[in-house]
Amino acid sequence: MSILSGKTALVTGASRGIGRASALALAKAGAQVLVHYSSSEKEAEAVVAEIRRAGGRAEKVAVDLRAPNGPHALAKLVQGIVGSRLDILVANAGIAKAASIEDTTVEDFDALFAVNVRAPYFLVQQLLPVMCKGSSIVFVSSLAARASVEFTGKAVSTLSAYAATKGALDTLVTHFASALGGRGIRVNAVAPGVVETDMSSFAKTDVGRDLTLVIQALKRVAQPDDIGGVVAFLASDEARWITGDTVRVDGGSKL
Amino acid sequence: MKKPVVLITGALTGIGRATAIAFAKDGARLVVSGRRETEGKALEAELRRLDAEAAFIQADVRHEDEVRNLVDQTVARFGRIDAAVNNAGTEGLRGLVVDQTAESYAATFDTNVLGVLLSLKHELRVMTAQKSGSIVNISSTYGHQGAAGASVYVGSKHAVEGITKSAALEGAASGVRVNAVAPGPTDTGMLDRFTGNPQNKAALVSTVPLGRLGKPDEIARAIVFVASASASFMTGQVVSVDGGKAVG
């Protein structure tokens, strides 16, 4: 499959989990992939090496997206590598922190919104000059944006602040798709449920697994590849008539 | 892997036809269905020219005996059904709610809702027994938005989305996925009939962020993806393939 050959792609948070799976899927489809990471250099190098071993093109780029000027710095780095054209942006980098309403601090709240919402927003803004007709932006939302996944009758939601950042992304999909449609730039999101990644401690506990599966039709915990394939599709011209959509890749959760 | 077997209803024109051609190019074995034999045979011949194993089977999805026969004939011919696309649908007659009748309701709901229900019934019968399969129903932007003058069509497509989710919950235990694709305004004969005149059509285009009508082939590509193993963790979903119409 080489539906993305000749295309350039940036995947943020690509050293692990869904970002890694997305980077590998894009590279497999022929894209040159910039593997962004903030601190996991070894893992990012491993992703680059894996892509190159398979005959693909990849480079790693390090930027801390918690910093207010992080997106601007990353956009500069990216333009230095790909020049004047970025075809695909997968804004995947995100952080999660579980805390009850009472225990959520202003610092945690701000950090969540800085990485999960502010960074994608300004990354799009800063990369717009090199995105053009046919370019595709994919955000990574979450099932949590539309449903509390932890309710057991008395359990407390510990993901409210995180979930709010993902709800914000869904809203950005709507508005960016509308605003950028005239330039031929598509904007979509994938919304996974619980995926077996380093970030998701939830999936590793018995209670977490049970809660995940009880609300879900397919009754298995997702693997990162389940999401990566959909990201690669949305990034490609195969999806050229899809924009403004949040595609739920959650095994049929909360149907 | 052996070539997948794909069943498509309403396959003779528009999105259904484009979907048949897209699957054929992907190497699928196909049963294409519709009401008109001459067009059906012509499509069958066209698909064979694309080197696809293809058969036309005549069926009107409003009649259960015909749907049962369609599904059974598909299995008799190819041994299984890996993917089904329930595309048969009608735009019905435009008109205000105050002008609707039991007849106008039935004319649309019998095809768009009963037809999908009967198709699902018999496809699931085969797929749950074989413990695999992927079904794609065709909704519309009007499956999740209202439209003045189109209440019956809008209602029928809302029904398709609800049935899709319920069927997904029922099929999951047997490894069967059920999703829907919701096209926006697509350049087909149905849209010409629905809009009635070029002015209405142009007005519709102005509501699409990507600034044009969709092409049947662009809907087909999304249908092929949702049906494929790449979408194996998606079920009960409605994928909008509408140039941004729903958010514009």
Side-chain angles (χ1 to χ4, degrees), chain A residues 133 146 173-175 177-186 188 193-194 216-218 220-222 225-227 229-230 233 237-253 255, chain B residues 164-166 168-169 172-173 175-177 183-186 208-215 217-219 221-222 225-226 230-248:
Chain A
K133 194 170 161 48
R146 67 186 179 93
V173 165
T174 297
H175 288 265
S178 185
L180 300 177
R183 304 187 208 185
I185 298 171
R186 298 183 299 105
N188 296 287
V194 175
Q216 191 219 73
L218 293 181
R220 69 176 172 88
V221 174
D225 286 347
D226 290 321
I227 317 302
V230 181
F233 166 72
D237 285 344
E238 293 295 295
R240 65 173 170 259
W241 198 236
I242 303 180
T243 191
D245 203 8
T246 293
V247 178
R248 298 168 185 171
V249 192
D250 59 11
S253 295
L255 291 177
Chain B
T164 297
K165 293 173 197 172
S166 304
L169 287 165
V176 180
R177 299 186 298 109
T186 309
V208 180
L210 288 182
R212 60 176 174 84
L213 296 175
K215 298 170 190 156
D217 174 60
E218 294 173 328
I219 314 301
R221 288 161 187 267
F225 173 78
V226 171
S230 298
S232 62
F233 205 60
M234 290 173 60
T235 196
Q237 303 309 315
V238 178
V239 179
S240 290
V241 187
D242 63 0
K245 163 80 177 157
V247 301

Side-chain angles (χ1 to χ4, degrees), chain B residues 59-74:
Chain B
D60 182 332
V61 295
R62 296 173 294 183
H63 304 301
E64 182 163 12
D65 53 342
E66 295 185 34
V67 175
R68 182 188 295 110
N69 177 65
L70 169 64
V71 167
D72 288 346
Q73 289 299 313
T74 302

Side-chain angles (χ1 to χ4, degrees), chain B residues 8-233:
Chain B
I8 304 171
T9 70
L12 306 189
T13 56
I15 291 168
R17 182 183 177 82
T19 303
I21 289 167
F23 272 113
K25 287 179 177 170
D26 258 18
R29 296 176 287 171
L30 287 149
V31 167
V32 289
S33 179
R35 286 181 295 167
R36 295 181 304 279
E37 183 162 21
T38 311
E39 285 92 333
K41 287 291 178 193
L43 177 59
E44 180 186 270
E46 184 176 343
L47 295 170
R48 287 178 180 169
R49 282 195 295 275
L50 293 169
D51 285 333
E53 276 186 70
F56 166 70
I57 297 175
Q58 195 170 22
D60 182 332
V61 295
R62 296 173 294 183
H63 304 301
E64 182 163 12
D65 53 342
E66 295 185 34
V67 175
R68 182 188 295 110
N69 177 65
L70 169 64
V71 167
D72 288 346
Q73 289 299 313
T74 302
V75 175
R77 169 81 186 243
F78 291 120
R80 55 187 292 112
I81 306 176
D82 296 295
V85 181
N86 297 323
N87 172 70
T90 174
E91 73 279 11
L93 282 176
R94 289 202 73 133
L96 301 175
V97 170
V98 292
D99 295 327
Q100 298 307 315
T101 62
E103 289 74 26
S104 71
Y105 164 87
T108 300
F109 269 68
D110 281 358
T111 300
N112 292 5
V113 183
L114 179 62
V116 166
L117 188 68
L118 294 173
S119 300
L120 281 168
K121 173 179 174 178
H122 290 284
E123 290 153 2
L124 282 170
R125 166 168 63 82
V126 171
M127 289 178 174
T128 53
Q130 73 191 14
K131 297 275 179 205
S132 70
S134 176
I135 300 173
V136 183
N137 295 324
I138 305 305
S139 179
S140 161
T141 304
Y142 291 159
H144 38 270
Q145 282 187 353
S151 60
V152 178
Y153 181 78
V154 165
S156 74
K157 290 302 186 179
H158 274 68
V160 167
E161 296 194 0
I163 291 169
T164 297
K165 293 173 197 172
S166 304
L169 287 165
E170 294 179 12
S174 307
V176 180
R177 299 186 298 109
V178 186
N179 293 286
V181 161
T186 309
D187 205 358
T188 63
M190 184 194 277
L191 188 75
D192 291 339
R193 294 190 299 274
F194 187 80
T195 53
N197 62 54
Q199 290 78 14
N200 286 344
K201 204 165 155 179
L204 205 51
V205 170
S206 72
T207 66
V208 180
L210 288 182
R212 60 176 174 84
L213 296 175
K215 298 170 190 156
D217 174 60
E218 294 173 328
I219 314 301
R221 288 161 187 267
I223 293 168
V224 169
F225 173 78
V226 171
S228 77
S230 298
S232 62
F233 205 60

Side-chain angles (χ1 to χ4, degrees), chain A residues 18-51:
Chain A
I18 294 168
R20 175 178 180 275
S22 300
L24 294 175
L26 293 170
K28 194 176 170 197
Q32 175 190 1
V33 182
L34 305 188
V35 176
H36 162 266
Y37 68 99
S38 59
S39 57
S40 310
E41 186 173 11
K42 274 208 174 99
E43 288 93 334
E45 261 170 19
V47 174
V48 169
E50 185 169 345
I51 291 171

